[in-house]
Amino acid sequence: MNIITKLLVALVLCLVTSNMNAQDSIQLEQKQMKIEQLNKTKETITQEEKGALKKEVEAINSQLEKGEITSSEAEVLKQEAAQKRALNIENRLAIIDNQIALLERNGNLEGTYTPGNRFILEIGKNEDSDEFDRGSFYVGEREDYRLKPRKYDRRTTSDLVFAIGFNNAIIEGESLNDSPYKLGGSGFVELGWAWKTRVFKNSNAMRLKYGFSFQWNKLDIKGNRILSENNEGQVVLEEFPLNVRKSKFRTTNIVFPVHFEFGPSRKIEREDYFRYSTFHKFKFGFGGYGGFNISSIQKVKYYDENDKKKKDKYKDYNTNNFVYGLSAYMGFGNIGIYAKYDLSPIFNDQVIDQNNISLGLRFDLD
């Protein structure tokens, strides 16, 4: 499990690094293109203001011809219109010049957004502003400085999901206290990717969260016992003939969770876009998952007849190929309490069913 987890984390970091390198390679080209666009905008501004002045003068002349104003009044109005348009040109060109200066100095327009989407890793940044926030952590897709126009409404976002905690099995007719698996030594890890879509057009009260995850469920067996498959294909716990130091059973699943998420949000409205933010907000979700078991393995560490340490691995137990269950989470911001329960038994054709159950912390890095 540790090797697989490290490989997946390394893969995520490689994706982040390669994306950042690609962004750096095109940054200069994008900057030059943006500067060219801004210079063309300066020409357009002058033409727009001159055209507006021409229309205002024509309107003043029309009033003069109709006798609505005197020639002296018309001259004053023309001077005021010319002065207003000249100031408009001066101020609007100054804004463009400042944007060009920002681009030349920083490579982007700091404090403004011209977005697109990219995969990034950020620590300590609010998802809705450029202000540093010590309490946040983000991995995912984020609107960034780009040449593409900002999408007015983003109803779907995506993020990394990571969960870790305690694991055990619910056995028919037994309580957790009587479980043959250690409460402290048994654990689970989940790592996946999720998309979140706002359900209603004008409200963010309910969101649909869906994606895929890898789940590793580990059971630490009590006593001097191991799991063994008998002649009927049933997996049972039996005494090991030698002195067991540690006996652990692990399943690896790939599942596709779907949750309905609820909770308050903050609406951010700007001239060219609006967003709903759940940053630092309470949220809870419930739903389920279905998927496939891709591996089952038991590791047994023991002492042989000569009191030497030995280790054996046993694979391909009679586990259910298809797994499904219920799950729920509740939290604040990016961290919450997470619980999941497999409705499908761990093993096929068992006299007594065993269903995996997990409780821990969930990090939705959105």
Side-chain angles (χ1 to χ4, degrees), residues 257-275:
V258 178
H259 294 94
F260 285 100
E261 184 179 284
F262 301 87
S265 59
R266 179 168 61 95
K267 189 174 183 179
I268 302 169
E269 295 187 86
R270 300 290 186 267
E271 291 183 1
D272 58 342
Y273 76 97
F274 79 92
R275 298 287 183 268

Side-chain angles (χ1 to χ4, degrees), residues 52-306:
L53 176 60
K54 183 179 179 180
K55 291 181 180 179
E56 289 179 350
V57 170
E58 290 175 353
I60 293 171
N61 288 333
S62 176
Q63 287 180 300
L64 179 60
E65 292 173 0
K66 293 177 181 179
E68 296 175 357
I69 56 175
T70 63
S71 57
S72 59
E73 289 174 336
E75 189 63 28
V76 171
L77 290 174
K78 290 178 182 179
Q79 290 178 1
E80 290 177 351
Q83 184 179 13
K84 180 182 71 173
R85 293 301 169 181
L87 289 173
N88 284 355
I89 292 174
E90 181 181 350
N91 292 338
R92 292 177 68 184
L93 291 181
I95 293 172
I96 300 300
D97 288 336
N98 288 333
Q99 290 180 328
I100 292 174
L102 280 171
L103 278 170
E104 291 177 340
R105 183 167 59 250
N106 302 316
N108 54 49
L109 298 180
E110 292 187 347
T112 63
Y113 290 104
T114 50
N117 293 329
R118 65 170 176 162
F119 185 92
I120 59 174
L121 171 65
E122 292 180 351
I123 298 177
K125 206 166 189 183
N126 186 325
E127 65 177 350
D128 305 303
S129 72
D130 289 332
E131 297 177 0
F132 191 83
D133 189 312
R134 295 177 182 270
S136 65
F137 180 87
Y138 177 83
V139 178
E141 290 184 77
R142 178 72 52 80
E143 294 187 353
D144 199 8
Y145 303 102
R146 289 299 183 93
L147 301 178
K148 297 180 181 179
R150 174 183 289 275
K151 188 174 182 180
Y152 182 71
D153 179 16
R154 274 185 84 202
R155 294 185 66 170
T156 300
T157 59
S158 61
D159 59 83
L160 184 74
V161 175
F162 175 73
I164 189 169
F166 299 103
N167 193 68
N168 215 284
I170 299 294
I171 301 175
E172 185 179 350
E174 294 185 9
S175 66
L176 278 178
N177 291 330
D178 299 324
S179 172
Y181 309 114
K182 298 177 183 178
L183 294 177
S186 304
F188 83 98
V189 173
E190 181 172 332
L191 181 65
W193 195 261
W195 287 266
K196 183 168 64 176
T197 299
R198 191 174 79 246
V199 174
F200 303 113
K201 182 178 180 180
N202 299 315
S203 171
N204 197 43
M206 182 168 72
R207 289 86 66 177
L208 184 65
K209 196 150 190 172
Y210 50 95
F212 65 91
S213 291
F214 289 93
Q215 294 178 347
W216 296 270
N217 300 318
K218 184 183 69 173
L219 296 171
D220 192 349
I221 302 171
K222 294 178 181 178
N224 204 66
R225 294 181 293 178
I226 65 169
L227 289 169
S228 179
E229 191 170 340
N230 61 23
N231 294 332
E232 287 77 27
Q234 296 176 340
V235 178
V236 295
L237 280 168
E238 64 177 22
E239 287 291 325
F240 194 67
L242 300 172
N243 186 17
V244 174
R245 294 188 294 118
K246 190 173 292 186
S247 177
K248 294 184 178 182
F249 176 75
R250 187 186 73 234
T251 57
T252 302
N253 305 324
I254 180 170
V255 297
F256 303 90
V258 178
H259 294 94
F260 285 100
E261 184 179 284
F262 301 87
S265 59
R266 179 168 61 95
K267 189 174 183 179
I268 302 169
E269 295 187 86
R270 300 290 186 267
E271 291 183 1
D272 58 342
Y273 76 97
F274 79 92
R275 298 287 183 268
Y276 289 98
S277 170
T278 58
F279 184 72
H280 282 179
K281 297 291 184 180
F282 171 81
K283 63 187 73 173
F284 70 94
F286 64 89
Y289 52 89
F292 306 94
N293 172 258
I294 58 178
S295 173
S296 59
I297 184 171
Q298 181 176 203
K299 295 181 181 180
V300 181
K301 296 180 180 181
Y302 61 94
Y303 295 100
D304 65 8
E305 295 86 348
N306 300 318

